[in-house]
Amino acid sequence: MERNRSLTSRGALGLAAAAGLTGVLAFGSPAHAAVAVIPINGGNVPTTAEDFKDNSCDNLPGDLAADVDGWVFVLPAAAGAEGNFISVTATFEDGDGGEHVLTTDADGGIVSGSGDNKAYIITPAGWTLTDAEAEVEDPAEGAKFNLTHACPGSPGENPSSPEESPSAPGSESPSAPGSESPSAPGEESTTPVGSTLPTTGTPLTITLVSAAALAAAGAVLFLMRRRRAAQDW
């Protein structure tokens, strides 16, 4: 009888200890924070970086090109979220009306150690921010985040001037070897050295007329001399 009571007491003590340990573990384990998506403050969009009320390049990389815009977002304490931004996804419209969705993972980053948590995204200069949302841990109901400042660039301020391409070697086509055809063997002139060919055409006609005139004059002189000789006889 005493033995049964002892076993019963031990069983009750074991159950009580197990229940107490379970309660301690449950109380000591932190609850897993839920990840939620919150929107940007509707009063911040739509806007270009240049038109936004606060222009500053704080919290952005120092080596930004002159032809990009920097956008910095802040997670205010009023959002009630735990920790930093997990990510920010923003929608932009380019000058031609095209829509582009950019993220801090691919097009920016998370800024830590600067008071309220901040994040940034880099875009080509001149784009318009039309909407944005952020992933955060355990935010308060109705929480929102803000665009705190923007760093405007100048579209096309850093155009890459193409270098003048030098003429490719050999662009001037040289004459092909042997393009000048040599005279075929046997085509040399067979006229003996020093011989003079008669002039043809108009110069020859003038020569013949002159010769005829001289001949006629000579004949006249010859006849006149014969007459004088006959008279002397």
Side-chain angles (χ1 to χ4, degrees):
M1 186 71 176
E2 291 294 333
R3 186 176 181 180
N4 290 337
R5 288 180 180 177
S6 177
L7 291 175
T8 302
S9 299
R10 289 178 182 178
L13 289 173
L15 290 174
L21 180 60
T22 302
V24 169
L25 292 175
F27 182 78
S29 299
H32 183 69
V35 175
V37 175
I38 62 174
I40 192 171
N41 185 335
N44 296 157
V45 292
T47 184
T48 62
E50 186 176 6
D51 291 339
F52 191 63
K53 60 184 178 181
D54 189 357
N55 285 167
S56 170
C57 296
D58 292 343
N59 309 115
L60 291 167
D63 57 350
L64 286 182
D67 57 352
V68 300
D69 290 338
W71 307 81
V72 181
F73 306 95
V74 62
L75 181 61
E82 294 184 7
N84 300 336
F85 280 115
I86 297 174
S87 68
V88 175
T89 300
T91 303
F92 296 88
E93 185 177 287
D94 62 28
D96 297 326
E99 185 177 279
H100 305 268
V101 178
L102 279 64
T103 67
T104 49
D105 292 337
D107 310 289
I110 304 297
V111 181
S112 59
S114 58
D116 287 341
N117 179 47
K118 295 181 177 67
Y120 68 90
I121 287 177
I122 307 299
T123 69
W127 283 14
T128 300
L129 174 65
T130 59
D131 197 9
E133 61 184 24
E135 284 188 339
V136 296
E137 290 186 356
D138 200 19
E141 185 176 353
K144 296 179 181 179
F145 68 101
N146 299 317
L147 174 65
T148 176
H149 54 271
C151 179
S154 298
E157 188 167 313
N158 281 343
S160 55
S161 301
E163 297 181 359
E164 295 182 1
S165 302
S167 300
S171 58
E172 297 180 1
S173 302
S175 300
S179 59
E180 296 180 2
S181 302
S183 300
E187 288 186 0
E188 291 85 353
S189 174
T190 56
T191 304
V193 178
S195 63
T196 303
L197 295 176
T199 305
T200 59
T202 302
L204 179 59
T205 303
I206 295 173
T207 302
L208 293 176
V209 171
S210 299
L214 290 173
V220 170
L221 290 174
F222 178 75
L223 291 175
M224 290 178 66
R225 285 182 179 180
R226 289 192 65 178
R227 285 181 181 179
R228 287 180 181 177
Q231 290 176 358
D232 291 339
W233 282 98

